Structures are given as C-alpha cells and as structure tokens.
Amino acid sequence: MRFTLTYDGPLPGSKRNPRSQQAIREALHPQLVELWQHEPLRDRHDLLKPAGATEISVLVERSGQFYAALVHDNLHLTAELDVLLLRPESAAGPIVRGDIDNRLKTLLDALSAPAHVQQVPEGARPTSADDPLYTLLQDDRLITRVTVETDRLLAPVPENWNRVLLRVTVKARRLIWGNMDLGS
C-alpha cells in the first residue's frame, strides 16, 4: 500500500518535546482518518477495536490515551518513507533552527504513538478506544528505510516553517491473514 501524507508547520530540531510531537500527530490525524475510509482499509475497521474484542487490534494505549497505528507489530507491517522537506532557507546553505537529523527525529517520533507515558503531553486531546488519535506507526522501529531530500520552500512563510511530503510504502514483514490486503 502506498500513500502520501503532508505536514505544514514548525518542525523543531533542537528542542524536541512531547507537545511539538503531539501537534504534528494531530495535524496528520485527519489525513489518516481519511485513509481509513478508502480501500484497502475501509473494510478493516475491525482492527480499530480493543484487543480481545477482535483477533487483531492496532490500538495502542498510553496513560489513558488511545492511538490507532496503521503500521503495527500485530499486523507484521513495516514502513518505508520518502521524505521531501521544504524549508524557507536555502537547501544548499546551513540549516537554521536545528539540524536536519534532529528535525527528522522529531518527525519520526511524531509519526509514532508515544513510546511511554512521559511522551503524552499534559492537556493532550482526550481520546478513547472509540475515538483514538490515528498515527502512522506503533513504533518508529517499524521503519525499514528512509530517504530524505531537502529543498527551498518558495512561499512567504515564517522562518521556522516547513512543508513535509511523506511518501509511505507499507510492506508485510510476514504474510498473515490479517495483512494480506495491506502490505505491498
């Protein structure tokens, strides 16, 4: 399965924090909700039920918050990412406001459900098993390949603004009944 996600906004490089990561998760949430309305996910809403209510679940719970992670160990799926990072400064010049590897760490962390309770920021939008926050990944260790290209964003935006185009390829690590229609 292949699809593209987009993000417009700040991408902190030096001071990563749970609030920044959560803001990116919330910005990507509507796109992931929309993805689940189309084939092959449209008929797979059984995966969004808590474990026990279904054979396989992609729900992740952290500190009472629920996340629906498409790429999940339970489905034996992995993700390959092609990232185009557009920023207002020249691609050939120095990166202002944090280096590129830390910006990417922020992005990759935000694509995942929080790994532990400390990564759930206070005041985060309340979620439940019936209304989870959709994420791409259960954990960023399920990423098997990342390519990154940077270029100048030719738009009047604040200095710390970024536009990210994220081409995602979901692959089955091991073929099981639950992932036959999901992995490439």
Side-chain angles (χ1 to χ4, degrees):
M1 174 174 34
R2 289 185 63 149
F3 54 91
T4 302
L5 299 172
T6 62
Y7 170 71
D8 284 292
L11 192 57
S14 56
K15 294 182 182 174
R16 293 180 303 150
N17 64 51
R19 285 196 194 288
S20 298
Q21 294 164 2
Q22 188 74 5
I24 296 168
R25 281 185 201 107
E26 290 176 4
L28 295 174
H29 169 81
Q31 296 171 66
L32 291 162
V33 168
E34 181 66 23
L35 180 67
W36 279 84
Q37 304 309 311
H38 301 281
E39 291 294 336
L41 295 170
R42 180 179 55 206
D43 299 324
R44 300 306 312 273
H45 287 239
D46 57 308
L47 297 171
L48 300 171
K49 294 185 174 135
T54 185
E55 195 172 309
I56 299 174
S57 175
V58 297
L59 289 180
V60 177
E61 186 269 332
R62 296 283 184 269
S63 185
Q65 296 286 90
F66 286 83
Y67 302 85
L70 171 59
V71 177
H72 197 290
D73 270 334
N74 289 347
L75 289 172
H76 301 279
L77 296 175
T78 60
E80 295 180 353
L81 307 176
D82 295 303
V83 180
L84 175 58
L85 173 61
L86 302 174
R87 52 199 170 89
E89 62 264 12
S90 170
I95 294 179
V96 182
R97 305 271 187 265
D99 53 38
I100 194 164
D101 59 333
N102 283 329
R103 286 187 191 194
L104 288 171
K105 287 176 188 175
T106 297
L107 178 64
L108 297 180
D109 286 346
L111 294 174
S112 304
H116 45 78
V117 174
Q118 293 82 359
Q119 289 182 334
V120 178
E122 279 190 41
R125 173 179 78 85
T127 63
S128 67
D130 295 327
D131 182 26
L133 184 67
Y134 286 68
T135 62
L136 176 62
L137 307 162
Q138 172 194 11
D139 189 296
D140 60 10
R141 68 181 169 70
L142 297 174
I143 299 170
T144 58
R145 183 182 62 79
V146 177
T147 63
V148 179
E149 183 179 349
T150 65
D151 208 343
R152 176 171 271 187
L153 175 58
L154 300 173
V157 295
E159 195 173 286
N160 64 346
W161 200 260
N162 298 269
R163 177 166 294 150
V164 179
L165 285 86
L166 186 68
R167 183 76 167 157
V168 180
T169 304
V170 176
K171 293 192 170 189
R173 193 174 59 227
R174 181 176 66 152
L175 200 56
I176 62 170
W177 186 257
N179 72 13
M180 285 184 172
D181 54 343
L182 302 178
S184 299

